[in-house]
Short mmCIF file of all heavy atoms in Angstrom, two decimals:
data_model
loop_
_atom_site.label_atom_id
_atom_site.label_comp_id
_atom_site.label_asym_id
_atom_site.label_seq_id
_atom_site.Cartn_x
_atom_site.Cartn_y
_atom_site.Cartn_z
N ASP A 46 -20.19 46.63 224.00
CA ASP A 46 -19.07 47.55 224.04
C ASP A 46 -18.02 47.21 222.95
O ASP A 46 -17.38 48.11 222.41
CB ASP A 46 -18.39 47.55 225.37
CG ASP A 46 -19.24 48.21 226.46
OD1 ASP A 46 -20.10 49.04 226.07
OD2 ASP A 46 -19.03 47.92 227.65
N THR A 47 -17.86 45.94 222.65
CA THR A 47 -16.83 45.57 221.68
C THR A 47 -17.15 45.98 220.29
O THR A 47 -16.30 46.11 219.44
CB THR A 47 -16.62 44.03 221.72
OG1 THR A 47 -17.87 43.39 221.53
CG2 THR A 47 -16.05 43.57 223.02
N ALA A 48 -18.42 46.21 219.96
CA ALA A 48 -18.85 46.60 218.63
C ALA A 48 -18.93 48.10 218.48
O ALA A 48 -19.03 48.61 217.35
CB ALA A 48 -20.22 45.96 218.32
N LYS A 49 -18.89 48.86 219.57
CA LYS A 49 -19.00 50.30 219.50
C LYS A 49 -17.69 50.94 219.15
O LYS A 49 -16.64 50.38 219.46
CB LYS A 49 -19.44 50.89 220.85
CG LYS A 49 -20.88 50.59 221.23
CD LYS A 49 -21.21 51.36 222.45
CE LYS A 49 -21.63 50.45 223.55
NZ LYS A 49 -21.96 51.10 224.77
N GLU A 50 -17.76 52.12 218.57
CA GLU A 50 -16.54 52.90 218.31
C GLU A 50 -16.15 53.55 219.63
O GLU A 50 -17.00 53.88 220.46
CB GLU A 50 -16.80 53.97 217.26
CG GLU A 50 -16.93 53.40 215.87
CD GLU A 50 -16.96 54.50 214.83
OE1 GLU A 50 -16.52 55.65 215.11
OE2 GLU A 50 -17.49 54.22 213.77
N LYS A 51 -14.89 53.75 219.81
CA LYS A 51 -14.38 54.41 221.04
C LYS A 51 -14.75 55.90 220.96
O LYS A 51 -14.68 56.47 219.91
CB LYS A 51 -12.89 54.24 221.20
CG LYS A 51 -12.53 52.80 221.44
CD LYS A 51 -11.02 52.64 221.67
CE LYS A 51 -10.70 51.20 221.94
NZ LYS A 51 -9.27 51.01 222.09
N PRO A 52 -15.08 56.49 222.09
CA PRO A 52 -15.47 57.92 222.09
C PRO A 52 -14.30 58.77 221.74
O PRO A 52 -13.13 58.43 222.01
CB PRO A 52 -15.94 58.17 223.51
CG PRO A 52 -15.47 57.02 224.33
CD PRO A 52 -15.20 55.87 223.42
N GLN A 53 -14.58 59.93 221.11
CA GLN A 53 -13.53 60.86 220.72
C GLN A 53 -13.54 62.09 221.62
O GLN A 53 -12.97 63.10 221.28
CB GLN A 53 -13.76 61.29 219.28
CG GLN A 53 -13.51 60.22 218.26
CD GLN A 53 -13.85 60.66 216.88
OE1 GLN A 53 -14.84 60.29 216.34
NE2 GLN A 53 -12.97 61.46 216.31
N GLN A 54 -14.16 61.92 222.79
CA GLN A 54 -14.13 62.98 223.79
C GLN A 54 -13.39 62.49 224.99
O GLN A 54 -13.46 61.32 225.35
CB GLN A 54 -15.56 63.36 224.20
CG GLN A 54 -16.35 63.98 223.09
CD GLN A 54 -17.74 64.34 223.50
OE1 GLN A 54 -18.11 64.20 224.66
NE2 GLN A 54 -18.50 64.87 222.59
N ALA A 55 -12.62 63.41 225.63
CA ALA A 55 -11.82 63.00 226.77
C ALA A 55 -11.62 64.14 227.74
O ALA A 55 -11.83 65.29 227.40
CB ALA A 55 -10.44 62.49 226.28
N SER A 56 -11.25 63.77 228.95
CA SER A 56 -10.91 64.74 229.99
C SER A 56 -9.40 64.77 230.12
O SER A 56 -8.77 63.75 230.15
CB SER A 56 -11.57 64.31 231.30
OG SER A 56 -11.22 65.17 232.35
N VAL A 57 -8.81 65.98 230.16
CA VAL A 57 -7.38 66.16 230.24
C VAL A 57 -6.89 65.93 231.68
O VAL A 57 -7.40 66.60 232.60
CB VAL A 57 -6.97 67.55 229.75
CG1 VAL A 57 -5.47 67.69 229.84
CG2 VAL A 57 -7.44 67.76 228.34
N LEU A 58 -5.95 64.99 231.89
CA LEU A 58 -5.45 64.65 233.19
C LEU A 58 -4.07 65.33 233.48
O LEU A 58 -3.78 65.67 234.59
CB LEU A 58 -5.32 63.18 233.37
CG LEU A 58 -6.59 62.34 233.14
CD1 LEU A 58 -6.28 60.87 233.30
CD2 LEU A 58 -7.66 62.73 234.16
N ALA A 59 -3.29 65.48 232.43
CA ALA A 59 -1.95 66.10 232.59
C ALA A 59 -1.54 66.71 231.28
O ALA A 59 -1.95 66.29 230.22
CB ALA A 59 -0.93 65.04 233.02
N VAL A 60 -0.70 67.72 231.35
CA VAL A 60 -0.28 68.50 230.16
C VAL A 60 1.22 68.70 230.22
O VAL A 60 1.81 68.96 231.26
CB VAL A 60 -0.98 69.88 230.15
CG1 VAL A 60 -0.54 70.70 228.96
CG2 VAL A 60 -2.51 69.75 230.16
N GLY A 61 1.92 68.56 229.04
CA GLY A 61 3.31 68.84 228.95
C GLY A 61 3.59 70.34 228.96
O GLY A 61 2.70 71.17 229.00
N LYS A 62 4.89 70.70 229.01
CA LYS A 62 5.30 72.09 229.10
C LYS A 62 5.01 72.89 227.87
O LYS A 62 4.81 74.10 227.90
CB LYS A 62 6.81 72.17 229.40
CG LYS A 62 7.22 71.48 230.66
CD LYS A 62 6.90 72.34 231.83
CE LYS A 62 7.39 71.60 233.10
NZ LYS A 62 6.64 71.89 234.27
N GLY A 63 5.04 72.28 226.65
CA GLY A 63 4.79 73.00 225.42
C GLY A 63 5.72 72.60 224.35
O GLY A 63 6.69 71.86 224.58
N ARG A 64 5.44 73.07 223.13
CA ARG A 64 6.23 72.74 221.98
C ARG A 64 7.44 73.67 221.87
O ARG A 64 7.29 74.88 222.08
CB ARG A 64 5.34 72.85 220.72
CG ARG A 64 6.04 72.46 219.46
CD ARG A 64 5.01 72.46 218.30
NE ARG A 64 4.37 73.72 218.11
CZ ARG A 64 4.79 74.61 217.17
NH1 ARG A 64 5.79 74.35 216.41
NH2 ARG A 64 4.13 75.76 217.08
N ILE A 65 8.57 73.12 221.48
CA ILE A 65 9.77 73.96 221.28
C ILE A 65 9.77 74.44 219.84
O ILE A 65 9.73 73.61 218.88
CB ILE A 65 11.05 73.15 221.60
CG1 ILE A 65 11.01 72.76 223.09
CG2 ILE A 65 12.25 73.99 221.26
CD1 ILE A 65 12.17 71.84 223.50
N THR A 66 9.76 75.75 219.66
CA THR A 66 9.74 76.31 218.29
C THR A 66 11.09 76.25 217.66
O THR A 66 12.08 75.91 218.30
CB THR A 66 9.24 77.76 218.33
OG1 THR A 66 10.12 78.52 219.19
CG2 THR A 66 7.81 77.86 218.90
N GLU A 67 11.18 76.61 216.37
CA GLU A 67 12.45 76.53 215.65
C GLU A 67 13.50 77.47 216.22
O GLU A 67 14.69 77.20 216.12
CB GLU A 67 12.17 76.88 214.16
CG GLU A 67 11.43 75.81 213.43
CD GLU A 67 11.18 76.17 211.99
OE1 GLU A 67 11.83 77.12 211.49
OE2 GLU A 67 10.39 75.48 211.35
N ASP A 68 13.06 78.59 216.83
CA ASP A 68 14.02 79.53 217.41
C ASP A 68 14.40 79.18 218.84
O ASP A 68 15.11 79.93 219.51
CB ASP A 68 13.51 80.96 217.32
CG ASP A 68 12.24 81.17 218.03
OD1 ASP A 68 11.65 80.22 218.58
OD2 ASP A 68 11.73 82.33 218.04
N GLY A 69 13.94 78.00 219.35
CA GLY A 69 14.32 77.57 220.69
C GLY A 69 13.43 77.97 221.84
O GLY A 69 13.65 77.56 222.95
N ASN A 70 12.39 78.78 221.51
CA ASN A 70 11.46 79.16 222.60
C ASN A 70 10.45 78.05 222.82
O ASN A 70 10.16 77.24 221.93
CB ASN A 70 10.76 80.47 222.21
CG ASN A 70 11.72 81.62 222.14
OD1 ASN A 70 12.67 81.69 222.91
ND2 ASN A 70 11.46 82.54 221.23
N VAL A 71 9.79 78.10 223.99
CA VAL A 71 8.76 77.13 224.29
C VAL A 71 7.40 77.81 224.12
O VAL A 71 7.12 78.85 224.72
CB VAL A 71 8.91 76.59 225.75
CG1 VAL A 71 7.76 75.65 226.11
CG2 VAL A 71 10.22 75.89 225.93
N GLN A 72 6.58 77.17 223.27
CA GLN A 72 5.21 77.68 223.05
C GLN A 72 4.32 76.89 223.96
O GLN A 72 4.15 75.70 223.78
CB GLN A 72 4.80 77.50 221.59
CG GLN A 72 3.38 77.97 221.31
CD GLN A 72 3.02 77.74 219.85
OE1 GLN A 72 3.82 77.29 219.05
NE2 GLN A 72 1.79 78.03 219.53
N PRO A 73 3.74 77.55 224.97
CA PRO A 73 2.93 76.76 226.00
C PRO A 73 1.68 76.13 225.36
O PRO A 73 1.15 76.58 224.37
CB PRO A 73 2.51 77.83 227.00
CG PRO A 73 3.06 79.11 226.58
CD PRO A 73 3.78 78.93 225.30
N VAL A 74 1.22 75.05 225.96
CA VAL A 74 0.05 74.33 225.51
C VAL A 74 -1.19 75.15 225.92
O VAL A 74 -1.24 75.64 227.04
CB VAL A 74 -0.02 72.93 226.14
CG1 VAL A 74 -1.26 72.16 225.76
CG2 VAL A 74 1.26 72.14 225.80
N GLU A 75 -2.17 75.29 225.02
CA GLU A 75 -3.34 76.06 225.27
C GLU A 75 -4.36 75.28 226.12
O GLU A 75 -5.20 75.91 226.80
CB GLU A 75 -4.01 76.47 223.97
CG GLU A 75 -3.18 77.50 223.22
CD GLU A 75 -3.88 78.02 222.00
OE1 GLU A 75 -5.11 78.17 222.01
OE2 GLU A 75 -3.18 78.26 221.02
#
Side-chain angles (χ1 to χ4, degrees):
D46 289 338
T47 54
K49 289 189 239 179
E50 288 188 21
K51 293 183 179 178
Q53 290 176 257
Q54 296 181 1
S56 178
V57 178
L58 303 177
V60 178
K62 300 282 184 210
R64 183 172 59 97
I65 298 176
T66 60
E67 290 180 13
D68 58 359
N70 294 327
V71 176
Q72 179 181 357
V74 179
E75 292 185 34

